Amino acid sequence: MLLLAAAFLVAFVLLLYMVSPLISPKPLALPGAHVVVTGGSSGIGKCIAIECYKQGAFITLVARNEDKLLQAKKEIEKHSVNDKQVVLCISVDVSQDYSQVENVIKQAQEKLGPVDMLVNCAGMSLAGKFEDLEVSTFERLMSVNYLGSVYPSRAVITTMKERRVGRIVFVSSQAGQLGLFGFTAYSSSKFAIRGLAEALQMEVKPYNVYVTVAYPPDTDTPGFAEENKTKPLETRLISETTSVCKPEQVAKQIVKDAIQGNFNSSIGSDGYMLSSLTCGMAPVTSITEGLQQVVTMGLFRTIALFYLGSFDSIVRRCMMQRAKSEIADKTA
């Protein structure tokens, strides 16, 4: 009986692997495609632009700083694969005025054609204990990280639905999968992206438009260096439990997942575990992906409990050290 059950299970899994490609999205062809990258003047955004350019795409870079945009343009153009490729630079704050964002997207489409892929990479991070952060910090991060993704997506979605083709990428963070000490403002703005992406995917899937949410870990970028300046000790020690990734590595994975139409894009074993643990009611691109989540959930939850215990221990140790320091200062 056990052998029969095992044989049935093996046959079922093999059937899933055979059927899976039939229900997966058709990969997006990047040669000649128009890719818009917000926050494309540095970090992960610039590396995504380079990766797409290497595959023959036409690029529109959107960011605030004109000097950084022009510098990024020169760097990207070194990776051209043909003499027809173009890198267009547009300076605008994607989080402030929707009409401005809509206008620059129209300008880009007039010059390079309809947008085939939008990568929402504009973002920022500020860390600090909840009571130490100004209320304006919460407003600013929600504006930049959330509305800065809503506006460009809103500007391209109608054309994508009409053409029955498109990819929208939201670059979130592993801090958008679990809340961590010091990230009450940052995590909440990144969690919001997940809700937007899930709802939007359900709306646009019938039109052959696919949404990808990327959850990169700590990545060696100018934004990460800036974030480290305000990190509390607890946040820094928790972050040090994992390694820092290279932006080129992160960009390659994001582009690969976006081309395939995968909803989740994660980096490394920790990223895979987090995505499986937090999948909830998120869409799956294939039956095998859903099966893998079901099979690994129990094991990954057990591992996660050890991680959570370690993080709580770090917070308690820091609190005790701080209390000892305060006592020592008073008695000195």
Side-chain angles (χ1 to χ4, degrees):
M1 190 67 180
L2 287 175
L3 287 175
L4 182 61
F8 177 79
L9 180 60
V10 171
F12 179 65
V13 171
L14 289 174
L15 179 62
L16 289 178
Y17 273 99
M18 292 171 62
V19 174
S20 177
L22 301 178
I23 66 169
S24 298
K26 182 181 178 181
L28 178 70
L30 277 186
H34 181 191
V35 179
V36 175
V37 184
T38 71
S41 62
S42 64
I44 294 174
K46 183 177 71 174
C47 290
I48 288 174
I50 291 173
E51 184 64 26
C52 291
Y53 203 65
K54 285 180 179 178
Q55 298 188 38
F58 289 67
I59 305 295
T60 295
L61 291 179
V62 181
R64 292 175 297 177
N65 190 302
E66 289 188 27
D67 292 336
K68 288 183 178 180
L69 276 171
L70 294 175
Q71 186 178 348
K73 172 183 167 73
K74 292 178 181 178
E75 188 174 342
I76 294 167
E77 287 176 335
K78 296 176 183 177
H79 301 277
S80 64
V81 294
N82 63 67
D83 56 6
K84 295 180 180 179
Q85 284 177 276
V86 176
V87 179
L88 177 66
C89 294
I90 300 178
S91 175
V92 70
D93 187 338
V94 294
S95 68
Q96 291 300 311
D97 186 347
Y98 173 69
S99 62
Q100 284 188 359
V101 175
E102 188 177 33
N103 286 334
V104 299
I105 292 296
K106 286 181 179 178
Q107 292 174 25
Q109 293 190 125
E110 287 171 359
K111 293 181 179 179
L112 300 182
V115 177
D116 296 289
M117 182 191 295
L118 167 68
V119 182
N120 292 292
C121 203
M124 63 176 296
S125 173
L126 287 171
K129 289 193 289 186
F130 183 66
E131 66 272 23
D132 293 337
L133 292 171
E134 298 291 338
V135 171
S136 59
T137 299
F138 289 84
E139 296 169 344
R140 185 182 178 196
L141 289 186
M142 192 60 73
S143 175
V144 173
N145 295 340
Y146 178 66
L147 293 179
S149 295
V150 171
Y151 293 167
S153 302
R154 179 66 179 77
V156 303
I157 198 64
T158 300
T159 304
M160 285 186 175
K161 289 173 70 175
E162 288 173 350
R163 296 175 63 231
R164 296 294 198 275
V165 63
R167 297 287 191 271
I168 296 180
V169 180
F170 296 102
V171 179
S172 179
S173 164
Q174 285 188 351
Q177 294 175 295
L178 76 161
L180 292 174
F181 189 107
F183 283 149
T184 51
Y186 180 64
S187 282
S188 50
S189 67
K190 290 297 187 177
F191 265 84
I193 290 176
R194 162 77 176 265
L196 167 65
E198 287 190 9
L200 182 59
Q201 178 64 98
M202 192 175 290
E203 290 187 16
V204 301
K205 187 176 180 179
Y207 297 90
N208 194 40
V209 177
Y210 288 88
V211 175
T212 297
V213 187
Y215 299 103
D218 286 342
T219 306
D220 186 13
T221 65
F224 180 64
E226 193 66 26
E227 172 190 311
N228 281 335
K229 294 178 181 179
T230 62
K231 272 183 180 176
L233 176 61
E234 293 89 340
T235 312
R236 191 164 64 250
L237 292 175
I238 290 172
S239 296
E240 289 173 357
T241 60
T242 59
S243 59
V244 177
C245 286
K246 294 292 184 182
E248 295 83 3
Q249 175 192 0
V250 173
K252 284 183 179 181
Q253 187 62 50
I254 292 174
V255 172
K256 178 182 177 181
D257 287 323
I259 289 172
Q260 296 297 327
N262 295 335
F263 183 77
N264 283 300
S265 179
S266 57
I267 311 296
S269 56
D270 285 349
Y272 175 73
M273 183 180 74
L274 268 176
S275 291
S276 294
L277 274 172
T278 60
C279 61
M281 291 289 286
V284 293
T285 310
S286 67
I287 296 175
T288 51
E289 180 186 359
L291 182 64
Q292 288 167 0
Q293 291 169 353
V294 170
V295 171
T296 59
M297 182 67 74
L299 173 63
F300 286 166
R301 178 56 177 167
T302 302
I303 296 172
L305 291 175
F306 283 97
Y307 271 100
L308 290 172
S310 172
F311 297 161
D312 286 340
S313 177
I314 289 172
V315 173
R316 285 195 299 270
R317 288 202 308 270
C318 289
M319 184 182 70
M320 292 172 63
Q321 289 175 2
R322 196 171 290 114
K324 289 180 180 178
S325 297
E326 290 175 356
I327 294 172
D329 290 342
K330 289 178 180 180
T331 55

